[in-house]
Amino acid sequence: MTSGERSATRQRRERMVQLLGAGDISVHDLAAEFDVSLSTVRRDLATLAALGRITRTYGGAVDHRAVERSRHDKERAQRGEKDAIARAAAGLVRSGDVVLLDAGTTVARLAHELRGRGDLTVVTNGLSTLVELADAEVEVVVLGGRLRRPNESLLGTRTEQALRRLTPDIAFLGVDGLDPRRGINCPDPEQAALKETMAGCARAAWVLADHSKLRGGGGFPYWAEMPAGTGLISGGTERELAAFSDGGWRVQPVRDGTGRPADGSAVHSS
């Protein structure tokens, strides 16, 4: 094997780990994704499993440790559903509101929907949101703090202190994973603390989560507990959304980008 072939193999395996971090995926799906044979995929998975990077399952694999994906990877996933979520969230924002926007690609989609709303003040710790609104009509307040990669958020003591002086009318939070009982799954303890503060300081809090974020809750070690009555906007299935509705969440199902009703469309807000 040449050095170029070895490099391509390493890159393919790293990308496999990222894809597996988003949920279960079959051997056939991986073969199609990388345009390689099933035997090549099985060799890759066997190597990754031997290194402790993943856990093999029948017909596929799941990641052994959750992998935090880059913003660019997240932007390419579930585009239609995220746009539908953003439109639904924008419909909840009233004239004159002070709106708190968390970091995250779905929240950045919401920022795009709000670009023409000169009647709002947006407070944010997300760089993607800041870029969306930099030349928009919206008044923007940026929360200071330490830049955290790869999700491009500002967090830390200064961010928490600034939030404690605010009472936003409505807050919208992004997630890597979500559980109806435990709340938002986070890769970082400071991030978990910040999300709790965001949800707690606002008059109303909504979590924006595409359906992939509802499956398995997440594999990171930290959790941000959400206040009772927190809202969820998602295109999850009826069964997935019912678990949140039964747990006291306000659930607003959305249609996906094709116009197809989401499986959760029969679930009503509690």
Side-chain angles (χ1 to χ4, degrees):
M1 181 182 293
T2 67
S3 60
E5 289 171 332
R6 285 194 295 270
S7 176
T9 298
R10 284 195 298 269
Q11 292 176 9
R12 183 178 66 247
R13 289 172 180 172
E14 286 301 316
R15 179 61 180 151
M16 280 184 180
V17 172
Q18 293 175 347
L19 291 173
L20 294 168
D24 291 357
I25 187 168
S26 72
V27 171
H28 289 82
D29 289 339
L30 289 171
E33 173 71 22
F34 297 104
D35 193 24
V36 296
S37 67
L38 292 175
S39 60
T40 296
V41 171
R42 291 189 178 101
R43 282 196 301 272
D44 287 344
L45 295 177
T47 299
L48 292 170
L51 293 172
R53 301 289 303 278
I54 64 169
T55 300
R56 292 298 306 274
T57 64
Y58 180 76
V62 298
D63 87 331
H64 182 62
R65 297 175 300 175
V67 176
E68 189 173 5
R69 294 179 295 161
S70 71
R71 174 176 61 85
H72 300 291
D73 281 341
K74 292 178 180 178
E75 282 179 341
R76 290 192 288 265
Q78 285 81 46
R79 284 178 176 269
E81 185 183 350
K82 289 178 178 180
D83 287 340
I85 291 169
R87 290 191 294 270
L92 299 175
V93 179
R94 302 168 300 180
S95 178
D97 274 354
V98 174
V99 184
L100 176 59
L101 296 184
D102 188 16
T105 56
T106 310
V107 179
R109 298 281 220 290
L110 169 57
H112 183 79
E113 293 290 325
L114 299 177
R115 282 176 55 84
R117 297 285 298 273
D119 56 342
L120 304 176
T121 297
V122 169
V123 181
T124 186
N125 72 320
L127 294 194
S128 297
T129 291
L130 179 59
V131 170
E132 281 286 351
L133 299 179
D135 61 347
E137 300 177 17
V138 181
E139 182 177 351
V140 180
V141 177
V142 182
L143 296 169
R146 173 177 60 84
L147 176 61
R148 183 185 183 280
R149 301 178 180 87
N151 73 326
E152 300 184 357
S153 66
L154 298 170
L155 78 172
T157 303
R158 284 177 292 179
T159 318
E160 292 262 0
Q161 289 174 343
L163 278 173
R164 291 193 176 99
R165 298 187 181 98
L166 295 172
T167 305
D169 295 293
I170 191 166
F172 295 98
L173 280 64
V175 300
D176 286 294
L178 194 64
D179 181 90
R181 297 183 306 277
R182 303 190 71 181
I184 298 175
N185 190 229
C186 300
D188 181 277
E190 279 188 303
Q191 188 184 70
L194 184 62
K195 288 182 186 290
E196 285 189 357
T197 302
M198 285 181 160
C201 74
R203 291 189 172 93
W206 289 82
V207 172
L208 309 183
D210 68 72
H211 71 275
S212 69
K213 308 298 176 56
L214 309 183
R215 296 178 179 176
F220 297 114
Y222 307 102
W223 292 89
E225 185 177 354
M226 293 292 100
T230 296
L232 169 63
I233 305 176
S234 178
T237 66
E238 181 176 357
R239 181 176 180 179
E240 288 164 346
L241 296 183
F244 286 87
S245 184
D246 292 344
W249 293 64
R250 291 177 291 163
V251 176
Q252 182 168 332
V254 298
R255 296 173 179 264
D256 67 16
T258 66
R260 175 184 58 83
D263 289 336
S265 59
V267 179
H268 300 288
S269 300
S270 57

